[in-house]
Amino acid sequence: MAHVPASERRPQLVRAAIDLMTREGVSAASTRAIAAELGVAQATVHYTFGTKKDLYRAVVEEVAAQFIGQVRAASPGDGPFGEQVRALVLALWDAATGEDGRCVLLSEFATLAMRDPDVREIMLGLQHAIEGTAAEMISALAAAHGLTLAAPAGRIAVHFLSGFDGLTARHLIRRHPGERPDPETVEALDVLVATTVGLCLGEAAGR
């Protein structure tokens, strides 16, 4: 393969690593396997990413950027505040459980983070970014409706994401990425939306 500047080689290797990890899992993505995925020498991976932590960070940041970008691009549509919250939640669900399998990949990294301090540091950064994005979107939607949130946006975001993470994990154990959720999961997701809207408005869920 012809010489490629490092500025171009890095994103190529990140994409190759993501494709490989998505297909075969994080544990399968050795530097040798990533190099073979792109058709370069193994030394190229070591040269571009000094440590495995650097590679993992680049992969997580790229997957997170794609995920957050997809959610930010979603439109809440028209209608009351609660309906628009639900529309955004469904867009988040589609992004998290889509056929590309990226959510499964992030879940694998989250599991690794429980025992690996380096991965934990990376995933804490991702958690902060996702919670911040959720809080920002909740605040913006409330402002568009002229509403004052009954609880801090950050607290609402943590409540929502804690439940959402559990539901996506449940779904991905029971279904393949891209498949529709079962009725119990749909019902649980509706309850999560209702409790989140209730927190925003200062109302009990279901009122």
Side-chain angles (χ1 to χ4, degrees), residues 1-203:
M1 181 174 287
H3 173 72
V4 176
S7 59
E8 295 180 24
R9 180 66 76 204
R10 182 181 177 88
Q12 291 176 349
L13 286 169
V14 170
R15 286 193 296 271
I18 291 173
D19 290 344
L20 178 61
M21 290 178 181
T22 301
R23 287 198 320 270
E24 301 182 27
V26 175
S27 61
S30 64
T31 55
R32 182 186 300 276
I34 293 170
E37 182 83 6
L38 188 60
V40 298
Q42 185 177 3
T44 301
V45 183
H46 290 291
Y47 176 78
T48 306
F49 300 98
T51 65
K52 182 176 285 188
K53 178 181 177 180
D54 294 333
L55 173 61
Y56 280 0
R57 185 185 302 280
V59 166
V60 169
E61 287 179 349
E62 176 60 25
V63 173
Q66 294 174 7
F67 178 72
I68 291 174
Q70 186 175 346
V71 174
R72 283 187 178 278
S75 170
D78 299 320
F81 177 76
E83 290 182 11
Q84 290 190 312
V85 170
R86 189 173 192 277
L88 290 176
V89 169
L90 292 179
L92 178 62
W93 180 269
D94 289 342
T97 63
E99 294 181 2
D100 61 13
R102 298 299 195 244
C103 187
V104 176
L105 179 55
L106 290 178
S107 296
E108 284 191 65
F109 275 112
T111 300
L112 285 175
M114 295 179 186
R115 294 190 179 275
D116 188 322
D118 288 340
V119 180
R120 182 180 301 118
E121 178 191 337
I122 294 168
M123 296 308 290
L124 282 173
L126 171 61
Q127 185 181 69
H128 178 75
I130 291 178
E131 289 177 359
T133 298
E136 179 185 330
M137 294 182 74
I138 290 169
S139 296
L141 191 58
H145 283 264
L147 299 173
T148 299
L149 293 172
R155 186 184 304 167
I156 296 171
V158 169
H159 161 82
F160 166 73
L161 290 169
S162 296
F164 187 84
D165 288 347
L167 289 177
T168 53
R170 179 182 189 275
H171 171 73
L172 291 171
I173 289 172
R174 298 162 68 92
R175 296 283 196 273
H176 293 294
E179 290 187 356
R180 295 177 64 84
D182 60 77
E184 290 180 352
T185 301
V186 172
E187 182 179 0
L189 191 60
D190 285 340
V191 171
L192 178 60
V193 171
T195 58
T196 301
V197 172
L199 277 176
C200 291
L201 303 180
E203 302 173 352

